[in-house]
Amino acid sequence: MSEQHRYMKALKCRECGREYPLAATHVCEFDFGPLEVAYDYDRIKKSLTRAAIESRPASMWRYRELLPIEKEPTVGRQVGFTPLIKADRLARRLGIRELWIKNDAVNYPTLSFKDRVVSVALSRAKELGFETVACASTGNLANSVAANAASAGLKSYVFIPSDLEQGKILNSLIYGASVIGIRGHYDEVNRLCAEIAGKFGWAFVNVNMRPYYAEGSKSMAYEIAEQLGWKAPQHTIIPMASGSLLTKIHKGYQELVKVGLIPESHPKVYGAQATGCSPISTAQKAGLDFFKPVKPDTIAKSLAIGTPADGFYALKVMRETNAAAEDVNDDEIRDAIRLLAETEGIFAETAGGVTLGAAKKLIECGKIPKEDSAVICITGNGLKTLDAVSGHCGKPREIKPSLREFEALLTQEESARA
Ligand SMILES: *Cc1c(COP(=O)(O)O)cnc(C)c1O
Ligand SMILES: [Zn+2]
């Protein structure tokens, strides 16, 4: 047995605590509670020091002991360690003292945070002997499974709602994956995939592999804390689809305290949704512990999950950290995408517009105090959702290839500004 194996102990039911072997399963047989990976934190604490981490390559795998694989990672070894940017210009516009952007819009290789979860899920799938991988996706997950499976020599099936953005569809097809468009919402895609997963011996990254897959999101929290100089931020604003990323970022901060890598603090994690698909933020604002499923209708298709699998736990985390949720409509999403681009030079996808738009509201209403410091998680790249902003950014002005025409244009502009 490898050295690393002993960091991971078992799969454990989040409801009743029953333990299961580290196989490709995701629900408790007794109460259908979700299974989660349990670790030997005492052992991790002994070997995982700041110095050890800092000496390793700049990828999410520098925190390998806290990620659920037995041996060395075999898929997505370069994923993660994306930039954390101090966003002073945007901070001034939002009226907050200090603001940081964790920029997963440039994650390797498919430009979204999903490369983190897929790298873990596929490395683990290979350890468990799978040759075919699959997923139910709102777009970015399909892209990442398709690309990472291609580079690992795995066969892949990706299931998506058939009305996704062209950019997201093409970004799966190009890798040679079997792309199946389902005429229905993500929640119907997901239900079908649960049936398929029960019948075929495939590794469905977000069905039977979900306990491993979801852990990959923790790496975003580890990196933020390290990049801030080994401390958790006061406030983190996170987009929510299933709600998994939010719960795992919270877990990531807690684990770093547990293994002695950062001092104890009380980081608050805030959830962002699109108003057209806001089951979690609506419940949070109403002070409820449970969400009501909705039918999605929003340009933020990557977040369009009407029955979020981790919605209940996301609500719990926001309650426990004394944080809040907010949502924004399609126009506010577009405005926020432009604001981020114009102030910080970052082109985010619709989910980024959701996150920044929600952060703006949370700061305006004082739920995030103006004298504090916050981190905004940008999770996907705008080049994949051009449809959402095309026709909303003005047009280039055309002139003949003539210096005189250009000078006339400048004069015109100056007088318009005066
Ligand atoms: C999948 C996704 C999320 C959030 O996903 P969760 O299901 O809540 O973990 C956020 N942003 C983008 C761009 C995504 O693709
Ligand atoms: Zn259970």
Side-chain angles (χ1 to χ4, degrees):
M1 191 189 294
S2 74
E3 182 87 345
Q4 288 76 31
H5 181 61
R6 281 170 285 164
Y7 295 120
M8 207 177 16
K9 286 200 302 195
L11 293 180
K12 195 169 173 181
C13 174
R14 239 149 126 175
E15 292 304 319
C16 70
R18 273 192 181 81
E19 293 198 351
Y20 292 83
L22 290 158
T25 59
H26 68 300
V27 283
C28 176
E29 289 163 15
F30 293 88
D31 53 17
F32 302 106
L35 302 185
E36 193 173 30
V37 179
Y39 299 86
D40 182 347
Y41 289 113
D42 290 334
R43 213 183 130 72
I44 294 171
K45 190 172 183 171
K46 281 187 201 119
S47 52
L48 193 62
T49 62
R50 288 182 187 177
I53 293 167
E54 285 164 357
S55 73
R56 295 174 184 173
S59 82
M60 63 182 272
W61 291 106
R62 63 211 256 125
Y63 316 99
R64 174 165 64 83
E65 287 86 339
L66 289 161
L67 295 169
I69 59 167
E70 285 173 36
K71 306 187 192 95
E72 290 299 308
T74 54
V75 185
R77 270 180 301 232
Q78 299 87 348
V79 174
F81 223 77
T82 55
L84 182 77
I85 294 139
K86 187 143 183 288
D88 292 338
R89 289 166 51 79
L90 182 56
R92 270 198 297 281
R93 286 289 288 275
L94 300 188
I96 188 165
R97 179 178 61 81
E98 189 176 272
L99 189 70
W100 299 86
I101 294 169
K102 180 60 172 167
N103 189 8
D104 263 22
V106 292
N107 211 347
Y108 179 86
T110 65
L111 308 179
S112 89
F113 104 90
K114 291 297 197 308
D115 290 323
R116 299 177 184 275
V117 283
V118 168
S119 144
V120 171
L122 297 200
S123 288
R124 184 67 186 142
K126 281 185 83 171
E127 286 182 350
L128 293 173
F130 287 99
E131 280 160 16
T132 302
V133 296
C135 69
S137 172
T138 56
N140 284 315
L141 182 59
N143 297 169
S144 187
V145 166
N148 284 294
S151 77
L154 294 161
K155 199 165 160 41
S156 69
Y157 286 85
V158 305
F159 297 81
I160 52 173
S162 57
D163 71 345
L164 278 193
E165 301 95 340
Q166 280 308 309
K168 295 269 170 77
I169 296 173
L170 262 173
N171 267 291
S172 292
L173 289 169
I174 194 73
Y175 304 109
S178 296
V179 181
I180 323 288
I182 309 293
R183 285 179 224 106
H185 290 301
Y186 171 82
D187 302 283
E188 296 167 279
V189 177
N190 196 38
R191 214 171 307 135
L192 171 66
C193 285
E195 287 180 57
I196 297 173
K199 221 173 153 158
F200 295 77
W202 299 344
F204 261 91
V205 303
N206 54 346
V207 184
N208 53 346
M209 296 297 289
R210 192 169 178 88
Y212 309 100
Y213 154 94
E215 290 286 288
S217 293
K218 296 187 306 185
S219 61
M220 210 156 165
Y222 304 151
E223 292 174 16
I224 290 170
E226 182 183 346
Q227 288 167 318
L228 285 175
W230 294 111
K231 62 172 196 223
Q234 289 177 293
H235 312 277
T236 311
I237 304 102
I238 303 156
M240 300 187 291
S242 73
S244 175
L245 176 62
L246 181 135
T247 64
K248 294 295 180 176
I249 285 183
H250 177 245
K251 182 180 178 188
Y253 292 147
Q254 284 185 319
E255 285 180 332
L256 291 182
V257 173
K258 208 177 292 184
V259 301
L261 286 167
I262 62 171
E264 181 148 20
S265 66
H266 299 280
K268 298 184 179 197
V269 293
Y270 301 77
Q273 293 206 291
T275 306
C277 183
S278 53
I280 310 176
S281 69
T282 301
Q284 198 284 326
K285 287 175 170 177
L288 302 173
D289 295 351
F290 295 90
F291 65 86
K292 205 167 117 234
V294 302
K295 232 179 166 181
D297 179 15
T298 167
I299 57 166
K301 293 175 192 276
S302 58
L303 303 180
I305 298 185
T307 309
D310 290 286
F312 171 75
Y313 295 105
L315 285 166
K316 191 159 174 262
V317 165
M318 287 188 275
R319 209 162 48 241
E320 284 172 4
T321 66
N322 210 0
E326 198 42 92
D327 50 74
V328 284
N329 66 33
D330 287 354
D331 285 333
E332 293 169 318
I333 294 170
R334 287 191 197 96
D335 287 348
I337 291 175
R338 272 206 311 268
L339 177 63
L340 181 62
E342 290 174 3
T343 54
E344 298 297 334
I346 294 170
F347 186 13
E349 75 145 79
T350 46
V354 168
T355 310
L356 176 53
K360 186 165 177 277
K361 284 188 176 176
L362 289 163
I363 294 165
E364 271 163 12
C365 73
K367 283 184 182 160
I368 296 180
K370 294 185 167 54
E371 54 280 6
D372 282 3
S373 172
V375 174
I376 294 179
C377 294
I378 296 300
T379 49
N381 194 298
L383 293 173
K384 290 202 219 173
T385 58
L386 293 175
D387 331 33
V389 288
S390 83
H392 295 267
C393 307
K395 269 197 248 168
R397 277 147 308 158
E398 272 181 34
I399 54 170
K400 290 203 193 93
S402 127
L403 181 59
R404 180 129 33 103
E405 283 212 14
F406 179 63
E407 283 171 336
L409 183 144
L410 279 189
T411 315
Q412 235 178 35
E413 255 190 3
E414 269 158 30
S415 57
R417 231 181 283 133

